[in-house]
Amino acid sequence: MFDTTTPAAPVVPTRGRLRPLGLDEVSITGGFWGERQAVNGSATLAHIESRLESEGWLPNFDLAAAGSLPAGRRGREFSDSEIYKYLEALAWEIGRTDAGADDDLERRFRRIVERVGAAQEPDGYLDTMFGRAGQDERWTALQWGHELYCLGHLFQAAVARIRTRPEADDGLIDIARRAADLVCREFGADGRDAICGHSEVEVGLAELGRALGERRYIDQAALFVERHGRGSLGEIEWGRSYFQDDVSVRDAEALRGHAVRANYLASGATDVAVERDDAALLDALRGQWDRTVERRTYVTGGQGSHHQDEAFGDDWELPPDRAYSETCAGIGSVMFSWRLLLATGEAQYADLIERTLFNVVATSPGSDGRSFFYANTLHQRTPGIPADPDATSPRASSSLRAPWFEVSCCPPNVARTFASLAAYVATADDDGVQLHQYAPAQVRTSLPDGRAVAFDVATGYPVDGTIRITVVEDAEFVLTLRVPSWASGAALRVTTGAGVSEEPVLPGTVAVERAFRVGDVVELVLPLVARVSTPDPMIDAVRGCVVVERGPEVWALESVDFGADVAEAVVAGDPVEVEGRVALPLRRRSSGDVATVPLVPYHDWAQRGPSTMRVWVPTV
Amino acid sequence: MFDTTTPAAPVVPTRGRLRPLGLDEVSITGGFWGERQAVNGSATLAHIESRLESEGWLPNFDLAAAGSLPAGRRGREFSDSEIYKYLEALAWEIGRTDAGADDDLERRFRRIVERVGAAQEPDGYLDTMFGRAGQDERWTALQWGHELYCLGHLFQAAVARIRTRPEADDGLIDIARRAADLVCREFGADGRDAICGHSEVEVGLAELGRALGERRYIDQAALFVERHGRGSLGEIEWGRSYFQDDVSVRDAEALRGHAVRANYLASGATDVAVERDDAALLDALRGQWDRTVERRTYVTGGQGSHHQDEAFGDDWELPPDRAYSETCAGIGSVMFSWRLLLATGEAQYADLIERTLFNVVATSPGSDGRSFFYANTLHQRTPGIPADPDATSPRASSSLRAPWFEVSCCPPNVARTFASLAAYVATADDDGVQLHQYAPAQVRTSLPDGRAVAFDVATGYPVDGTIRITVVEDAEFVLTLRVPSWASGAALRVTTGAGVSEEPVLPGTVAVERAFRVGDVVELVLPLVARVSTPDPMIDAVRGCVVVERGPEVWALESVDFGADVAEAVVAGDPVEVEGRVALPLRRRSSGDVATVPLVPYHDWAQRGPSTMRVWVPTV
């Protein structure tokens, strides 16, 4: 059904409503996301590699190869995975920048692959934490050992390499294949009837199976998915829901438990449902997405209400001040939504991706690309203490970003997401191209029947609401644009040789079908005005409060602008725009003084030193 | 200044505004607290002992004595402390019931003391977790090892024994003395400059010093108090405040970090301040109490907003649904407030004790005395799963009480508190007696100059608001009664041979000074009517909600009464009383239907099967 050329994208289903366009077909050329991709390439990647070395997580592989482990091993059970996520980020960055064989990126990639490969055992096993004298035996600590989790990230790194440099001889693909074969032998239908305490191997195996055409890997992913919900991991203080081992994936009503685990499992389960044409499983996952978005997701798109177990809370349990909203959970949510978007074509999934990218994923890294939020609270009560730039921080204790964490899943997760971001911008089907996210970009692809589709996107989004698409090659096709759910009052303007037509459009999608000629322009005009949103009355924690949004951005009040602790603030009027910033009339609770105070896009908060901050502002 | 006869009470300062009356002077004869004492004696104590055996925590001492440890040791680092708290509970119960040498309680007490004593090492060291081949060395794991914490509880058990059976020859007092001497040698001014990661040894040493007249122990407690705030325990993810090792006790502005640790340290520091006549330290502690009660305490008296680290949150961070409000933190708060009450005589401390006893401590045990809440949430969103009566539960995962926990500090803590509860009812000074808590009781004491003071208290409190005190011995003295802060409209009625006088009284205290004759009656009439309280507007989590209180009791809405999930409830009118229960007109959010629904005293919730529950009910 699809073109046989595989796009350079993280997720390439063999079936489904939409076909992804890869980094070879879409490039982001600037703007909000282009700047973040540039910082990611120029600062974040090197920062991560430096930390992987200095923390000892990469040297663990050298120790393994030298046969000297466990002596000197550093890092937690899952530290190997950070190297794999970094390799995945490098692979996408190499693809994104079209780095040559002599490029520094390519050399770094190969050096690390060599070190990883040297640690792999003859039968394909690869983990620096297990299986040697003085270490726990392989596969004996599935609850917390993260062995399969780590391999899942290895598989995703290999997928990125396959899709961007299919001819490369660095060996990563073979390393992954040998590990995946071992997993199938050990955990196949006749093997250990077990799962990993942290889902990830499912999504990794499914995609590796797609990338290599190995159906066995997808079937193994399906086995892991179906084995959830039987309690095989045992009891823990936070309950089996932590591992999504309380209820089967088919029977669950919502995402629950550890928010990263839940989203990774749901992503892998979606892959399995699509590849096996399992409509019942896909329907179950769509229902879980609906319930989770309605009742267990912050206005930022953030997920996970509990610090204790990094987990979803109950329905409507969404405290802004104790929001955990882990960066990785936001990335996992994007992964899950993206797979459902490809499967169904429904705009609601792209809406949540946009909300989450702007207000969770973009919030984590500071503007320097060398510091990160692990958790993304919606209400900071006390100004943080600046993180020591040379130290390793706990996960979520400060209102300022930290350069590295004891559990440092988030920085490499952000890096791989930014490096592959162009793959989430547009898709295609037999009749045309769908634009889901708005950024200055070039789109160059061809439809299954050979029609070349080529256009450029110019926009100042999200500061400006006009998305201007200029066709650069003659072709008849359907151009479908997402109209975000918040964009009441949007309009579509089409300018061709025949003149200009303009019409109002409703949230959802709008399609323009025509024989486009070079120079034709389609403009989507989104109303980027500040709007006040009230919470669902079922959410107890923000009763009597409002949030200000503008376009896809949630805005926040910081003490550095208010001139006092944000605990003092009460809304005293409607938002206005002052010199390009949204501002809100606020009364001080203690003095009664009223002033109009500029807000800050949530993703930009905590960039000006310690401050208190709130997204939801009381009206009483 | 005081009578030299030491009262049978947990806290007997050598100076201060008020002198405690012990179990030998005050007995609770029935009513709300009398019933709980009876269940504690008839069910809870045996339940605890059975679990201490079956969990292996008591057998650990036998293994230690047999020299076979560490093989077979069971339980966490602090499991020894549960035996000591149980011994303390037994000692008070023996005193309370005046059990003879042949009584079952006394025999059980002696048997356990024998097993504990057999595990003590020649130099006085006593801990089943450390110091043997195959175990960590003594005092090398101060951050999490709980060695000094356990000994603190040993000292409190010994104090209970000294004060109730000073002539007993069971050996507990000698065991404690030898351990305390070892602590002074190891951690004295010339010894290890260190503290324990869980405060408790301070309060234990201070009281043991008082009980044995050993000033050295009080000085050692002072050393431990003053060593807090220097970071000697190192960094952890939750910050040094967890251990109260971030700021010195003198400089802190509020209680912070782990709520049990914080209250135990504050209690020990108060003891030290009183014994050393350290007005600056006492003032600092009083200021911390003020700030903590104003900004970091739930309406139930509960303390600790975080599940993750069982800790206080920031100022005003009081989410009802994620309230941890550990039972032991409530007990620690009573300990701290009681010491400040003895030192200052101020009624506010007795007010908080009452609120906490009725709404935290009394909430933990179920009516059978064999199941307990560890955490005391103010809002239960999902009905719990009944705890397996034979299993050991995690700490805080259900809306139903559990028989035992992996960390089971709360059940023995409740037991020792209930067994010694009469010691918190009344105090004396040179001129008379002060009644702080209201229960049917007998008070028999003598003032320093020899005047005998004897009266009986009859009351249906907290169901009925009349406290009737009948003098049973002629004497001239001042009878001081606490008028709770919520009791606007209270009245005092004095009935003597000369007639009846009645006057309105204001919250605080009211004193009646006269030459009382046998049969004179003093009645305090407290207005026990349902009242609606609104939260401080600074508390974000309950904005737009109200709570219903009646006397000292907070009332809650349970789904079993509402007929629907409490998430549906909106207040639709003022509370009324229906057949002895407070009831509240409520609207259902989904249907709009309004009905008057009975509430339940918070301490009685979750006694009728799984339910959802909320204390704060939305008005919008």
Side-chain angles (χ1 to χ4, degrees):
Chain A
M1 157 183 182
F2 288 149
D3 189 326
T4 52
T5 308
T6 306
V11 190
V12 185
T14 63
R15 65 182 76 202
R17 178 70 190 79
L18 304 177
R19 175 176 70 89
L21 299 186
L23 308 195
D24 46 337
E25 295 159 297
V26 181
S27 57
I28 296 172
T29 53
F32 185 96
W33 294 114
E35 285 168 26
R36 276 155 183 81
Q37 288 196 309
V39 171
N40 190 52
S42 65
T44 303
L45 292 174
H47 170 77
I48 291 171
E49 187 168 331
S50 154
R51 287 297 187 135
L52 293 177
E53 292 283 9
S54 65
E55 295 283 339
W57 303 353
L58 194 40
N60 286 340
F61 288 89
D62 309 332
L63 297 173
S68 66
L69 284 180
R73 188 186 183 286
R74 294 166 62 193
R76 296 282 299 273
E77 307 90 304
F78 36 76
S79 68
D80 291 1
S81 73
E82 311 311 346
I83 284 78
Y84 305 146
K85 269 189 285 185
Y86 176 63
L87 280 176
E88 183 187 342
L90 276 186
W92 294 124
E93 188 68 5
I94 288 166
R96 184 182 80 83
T97 61
D98 202 16
D102 291 337
D103 194 285
D104 180 53
L105 282 175
E106 179 71 23
R107 282 201 306 269
R108 279 153 61 191
F109 183 88
R110 287 170 175 268
R111 259 199 315 265
I112 294 173
V113 169
E114 197 175 327
R115 292 164 74 181
V116 167
Q120 190 170 34
E121 314 215 6
D123 66 353
Y125 186 80
L126 181 53
D127 194 300
T128 65
M129 188 80 180
F130 291 94
R132 298 168 189 80
Q135 293 183 324
D136 285 345
E137 279 180 45
R138 292 180 187 183
W139 321 123
T140 57
L142 290 170
Q143 198 181 54
W144 296 109
H146 288 77
E147 285 162 284
L148 291 165
Y149 166 85
C150 288
L151 293 180
H153 279 300
L154 173 70
F155 302 154
Q156 288 189 311
V159 165
R161 189 63 168 172
I162 295 166
R163 300 250 171 87
T164 52
R165 290 288 181 272
E167 309 302 329
D169 60 354
D170 53 78
L172 179 61
I173 295 162
D174 190 50
I175 292 168
R177 189 191 286 275
R178 295 200 297 137
D181 289 343
L182 176 72
V183 170
C184 292
R185 288 198 303 275
E186 287 284 338
F187 293 91
D190 303 325
R192 295 168 195 263
D193 186 10
I195 58 174
C196 181
H198 196 317
S199 276
E200 161 64 23
V201 74
E202 299 83 359
V203 75
L205 274 173
E207 204 61 39
L208 189 66
R210 287 166 167 167
L212 295 176
E214 283 281 12
R215 185 74 194 184
R216 294 183 298 131
Y217 298 167
I218 295 166
D219 292 341
Q220 182 63 49
L223 277 179
F224 284 132
V225 167
E226 300 290 357
R227 285 175 188 162
H228 280 79
R230 303 178 320 176
S232 69
L233 289 166
E235 279 294 350
I236 60 167
E237 174 168 347
W238 305 316
R240 294 172 178 176
S241 60
Y242 178 84
F243 310 116
Q244 297 75 49
D245 198 21
D246 52 336
V247 179
S248 75
V249 175
R250 291 177 188 279
D251 294 331
E253 294 186 343
L255 298 195
R256 68 230 175 273
H258 189 272
V260 182
R261 285 167 164 82
N263 274 293
Y264 284 8
L265 176 61
S267 299
T270 307
D271 290 336
V272 164
V274 167
E275 294 304 320
R276 295 161 71 101
D277 208 10
D278 187 335
L281 180 57
L282 188 64
D283 278 354
L285 290 158
R286 293 179 66 182
Q288 291 164 35
W289 187 95
D290 290 346
R291 173 90 167 238
T292 303
V293 173
E294 182 191 18
R295 303 184 183 190
R296 301 184 174 196
T297 302
Y298 286 99
V299 67
T300 55
Q303 296 183 344
S305 309
H306 295 182
H307 278 242
Q308 180 180 254
D309 46 356
E310 307 186 307
F312 285 99
D314 293 321
D315 284 349
W316 315 114
E317 184 186 347
L318 292 165
D321 52 343
R322 291 296 288 166
Y324 198 65
S325 182
E326 183 180 338
T327 302
C328 288
I331 291 171
S333 166
V334 169
M335 288 167 54
F336 181 30
S337 294
W338 178 247
R339 284 160 174 79
L340 291 177
L341 175 62
L342 292 179
T344 68
E346 291 181 12
Q348 59 176 340
Y349 301 117
D351 277 346
L352 184 68
I353 289 172
E354 175 175 70
R355 184 174 287 277
T356 309
L357 285 175
F358 273 103
N359 300 298
V360 179
V361 186
T363 306
S364 173
S367 55
D368 63 357
R370 293 190 183 86
S371 56
F372 306 85
F373 281 131
Y374 188 112
N376 296 281
T377 187
L378 277 73
H379 183 176
Q380 179 74 30
R381 292 183 181 278
T382 53
I385 297 161
D388 178 347
D390 298 321
T392 296
S393 297
R395 285 182 259 195
S397 63
S398 167
S399 73
L400 295 167
R401 296 166 178 89
W404 202 249
F405 304 92
E406 288 158 16
V407 177
S408 217
C409 43
C410 298
N413 222 350
V414 169
R416 68 175 182 149
T417 305
F418 280 180
S420 60
L421 200 63
Y424 299 91
V425 169
T427 57
D429 60 13
D430 289 351
D431 303 316
V433 168
Q434 303 78 38
L435 259 185
H436 304 288
Q437 304 300 334
Y438 297 120
Q442 289 188 339
V443 177
R444 306 283 186 271
T445 188
S446 54
L447 303 184
D449 59 12
R451 279 176 288 169
V453 172
F455 57 81
D456 293 342
V457 183
T459 181
Y461 195 77
V463 176
D464 182 78
T466 300
I467 324 292
R468 182 186 172 90
I469 294 142
T470 306
V471 174
V472 297
E473 198 154 337
D474 291 352
E476 183 171 350
F477 66 97
V478 182
L479 175 66
T480 304
L481 304 176
R482 179 176 63 95
V483 183
S485 60
W486 48 261
S488 299
L492 185 80
R493 190 185 306 132
V494 179
T495 307
T496 64
V500 180
S501 70
E502 182 160 343
E503 54 173 330
V505 291
L506 295 173
T509 57
V510 57
V512 184
E513 178 171 8
R514 61 178 296 127
F516 286 104
R517 304 297 298 269
V518 171
D520 285 356
V521 172
V522 176
E523 284 172 296
L524 178 65
V525 184
L526 301 173
L528 280 196
V529 292
R531 61 190 193 276
V532 169
S533 304
T534 55
D536 190 305
M538 294 293 282
I539 305 173
D540 290 299
V542 290
R543 185 169 283 112
C545 296
V546 295
V547 62
V548 178
E549 299 177 272
R550 183 177 180 279
E553 294 175 318
V554 171
W555 288 65
L557 173 66
E558 274 197 277
S559 57
V560 63
D561 293 311
F562 186 44
D565 185 345
V566 297
E568 289 275 326
V570 182
V571 174
D574 293 323
V576 294
E577 298 219 11
V578 178
E579 296 173 6
R581 284 174 73 180
V582 174
L584 193 61
L586 294 170
R587 180 169 56 79
R588 284 202 196 182
R589 208 177 276 283
S590 55
S591 68
D593 296 347
V594 174
T596 297
V597 179
L599 307 182
V600 66
Y602 175 68
H603 56 72
D604 277 346
W605 91 275
Q607 301 263 24
R608 295 169 294 170
S611 67
T612 61
M613 179 278 298
R614 64 189 310 162
V615 162
W616 290 100
V617 186
T619 59
V620 289
Chain B
M1 158 184 183
F2 287 150
D3 187 327
T4 52
T5 307
T6 305
V11 189
V12 185
T14 63
R15 65 182 76 202
R17 179 69 189 79
L18 304 176
R19 174 175 71 88
L21 299 186
L23 309 194
D24 47 336
E25 297 161 297
V26 181
S27 57
I28 297 172
T29 54
F32 185 96
W33 293 113
E35 286 169 25
R36 277 156 183 79
Q37 287 195 312
V39 171
N40 190 52
S42 65
T44 304
L45 291 175
H47 169 78
I48 291 171
E49 187 167 330
S50 156
R51 287 298 187 135
L52 294 178
E53 293 283 10
S54 65
E55 295 281 339
W57 303 353
L58 195 39
N60 286 341
F61 288 89
D62 309 332
L63 297 175
S68 67
L69 284 180
R73 189 187 183 284
R74 293 167 61 195
R76 296 282 299 271
E77 308 89 303
F78 36 76
S79 68
D80 291 2
S81 73
E82 310 311 347
I83 283 79
Y84 305 146
K85 269 188 285 186
Y86 177 63
L87 280 177
E88 183 186 342
L90 276 184
W92 293 125
E93 187 68 5
I94 288 166
R96 183 181 82 83
T97 61
D98 203 16
D102 291 337
D103 193 285
D104 179 53
L105 282 176
E106 179 71 21
R107 282 200 306 270
R108 280 154 62 191
F109 183 89
R110 286 170 177 268
R111 259 199 313 268
I112 295 173
V113 168
E114 198 174 326
R115 292 164 75 182
V116 167
Q120 190 170 36
E121 313 216 6
D123 66 353
Y125 185 80
L126 181 54
D127 194 299
T128 66
M129 186 79 179
F130 292 93
R132 297 168 189 81
Q135 293 183 323
D136 284 344
E137 280 181 43
R138 293 180 186 182
W139 321 123
T140 57
L142 291 169
Q143 198 182 54
W144 296 109
H146 288 77
E147 286 162 284
L148 290 165
Y149 167 85
C150 289
L151 293 180
H153 278 300
L154 173 71
F155 302 155
Q156 288 189 311
V159 165
R161 189 64 169 172
I162 296 166
R163 299 250 171 86
T164 52
R165 290 290 180 270
E167 308 302 331
D169 60 356
D170 52 79
L172 179 61
I173 294 161
D174 190 48
I175 293 168
R177 190 190 285 276
R178 295 200 297 135
D181 289 343
L182 176 72
V183 169
C184 292
R185 289 197 303 276
E186 287 285 338
F187 293 91
D190 302 325
R192 295 169 195 261
D193 186 9
I195 58 174
C196 181
H198 196 317
S199 275
E200 161 66 23
V201 73
E202 299 82 359
V203 76
L205 275 172
E207 204 62 38
L208 189 67
R210 287 165 168 166
L212 295 176
E214 284 282 11
R215 183 76 194 182
R216 294 182 299 129
Y217 298 167
I218 296 166
D219 292 341
Q220 182 64 48
L223 277 180
F224 283 132
V225 167
E226 301 288 357
R227 285 174 188 164
H228 279 78
R230 302 178 320 175
S232 69
L233 289 167
E235 278 296 348
I236 60 167
E237 175 169 347
W238 305 316
R240 294 172 178 174
S241 60
Y242 178 85
F243 310 116
Q244 298 73 50
D245 198 20
D246 53 335
V247 178
S248 75
V249 176
R250 292 178 186 278
D251 294 331
E253 293 186 344
L255 299 195
R256 71 232 173 270
H258 189 271
V260 182
R261 284 167 165 82
N263 274 294
Y264 284 9
L265 176 62
S267 298
T270 306
D271 290 337
V272 164
V274 166
E275 293 307 317
R276 294 161 71 101
D277 208 9
D278 188 335
L281 180 57
L282 189 64
D283 279 352
L285 290 158
R286 294 179 65 182
Q288 291 163 35
W289 188 95
D290 290 346
R291 173 90 168 238
T292 303
V293 174
E294 183 192 16
R295 303 185 183 188
R296 301 185 174 195
T297 303
Y298 286 99
V299 67
T300 55
Q303 296 183 345
S305 309
H306 294 181
H307 279 241
Q308 179 179 255
D309 45 356
E310 307 186 307
F312 285 99
D314 293 322
D315 283 352
W316 315 113
E317 185 187 346
L318 293 166
D321 54 342
R322 291 295 288 165
Y324 198 66
S325 181
E326 183 179 338
T327 302
C328 288
I331 291 171
S333 166
V334 169
M335 288 167 54
F336 181 30
S337 294
W338 178 247
R339 283 159 175 80
L340 291 177
L341 175 62
L342 292 179
T344 68
E346 292 179 11
Q348 60 176 339
Y349 301 117
D351 276 346
L352 184 67
I353 289 172
E354 176 175 69
R355 183 174 288 276
T356 309
L357 285 176
F358 274 103
N359 300 298
V360 179
V361 186
T363 306
S364 173
S367 54
D368 64 356
R370 293 189 183 89
S371 57
F372 305 85
F373 281 131
Y374 189 112
N376 296 279
T377 187
L378 277 75
H379 182 178
Q380 180 74 30
R381 291 183 181 277
T382 53
I385 296 161
D388 178 347
D390 298 321
T392 297
S393 298
R395 286 180 259 195
S397 63
S398 169
S399 73
L400 295 166
R401 296 165 178 88
W404 202 249
F405 304 92
E406 287 157 18
V407 176
S408 219
C409 43
C410 298
N413 221 351
V414 169
R416 68 174 183 151
T417 304
F418 279 0
S420 59
L421 201 63
Y424 299 92
V425 168
T427 57
D429 61 12
D430 288 353
D431 303 317
V433 168
Q434 303 79 39
L435 260 185
H436 304 289
Q437 305 300 334
Y438 297 120
Q442 290 190 338
V443 177
R444 307 283 186 271
T445 188
S446 55
L447 303 183
D449 60 11
R451 278 176 288 168
V453 173
F455 57 83
D456 294 341
V457 183
T459 181
Y461 195 76
V463 176
D464 183 79
T466 299
I467 324 292
R468 182 185 171 93
I469 294 142
T470 305
V471 174
V472 298
E473 199 154 337
D474 291 352
E476 183 171 351
F477 66 96
V478 182
L479 176 65
T480 305
L481 306 176
R482 179 176 63 96
V483 183
S485 59
W486 47 261
S488 299
L492 186 81
R493 190 186 306 132
V494 180
T495 306
T496 65
V500 180
S501 70
E502 181 161 344
E503 53 172 332
V505 291
L506 295 174
T509 57
V510 58
V512 184
E513 178 170 8
R514 61 178 295 127
F516 286 103
R517 303 295 298 269
V518 171
D520 285 356
V521 172
V522 177
E523 285 172 296
L524 178 64
V525 184
L526 301 174
L528 280 196
V529 291
R531 61 191 192 277
V532 169
S533 304
T534 54
D536 190 305
M538 294 294 282
I539 305 173
D540 290 298
V542 290
R543 185 169 284 113
C545 296
V546 296
V547 63
V548 177
E549 299 177 272
R550 183 178 180 277
E553 294 174 318
V554 171
W555 288 64
L557 173 65
E558 274 197 278
S559 56
V560 65
D561 294 312
F562 186 44
D565 184 347
V566 298
E568 287 276 326
V570 183
V571 175
D574 291 326
V576 294
E577 298 219 11
V578 179
E579 296 172 7
R581 283 174 75 180
V582 174
L584 192 60
L586 294 171
R587 178 168 58 79
R588 284 201 196 181
R589 208 177 277 283
S590 55
S591 69
D593 295 348
V594 173
T596 297
V597 180
L599 307 182
V600 65
Y602 174 69
H603 55 73
D604 277 347
W605 90 275
Q607 302 262 23
R608 295 170 292 171
S611 67
T612 61
M613 178 277 299
R614 63 190 310 161
V615 163
W616 290 99
V617 186
T619 60
V620 289

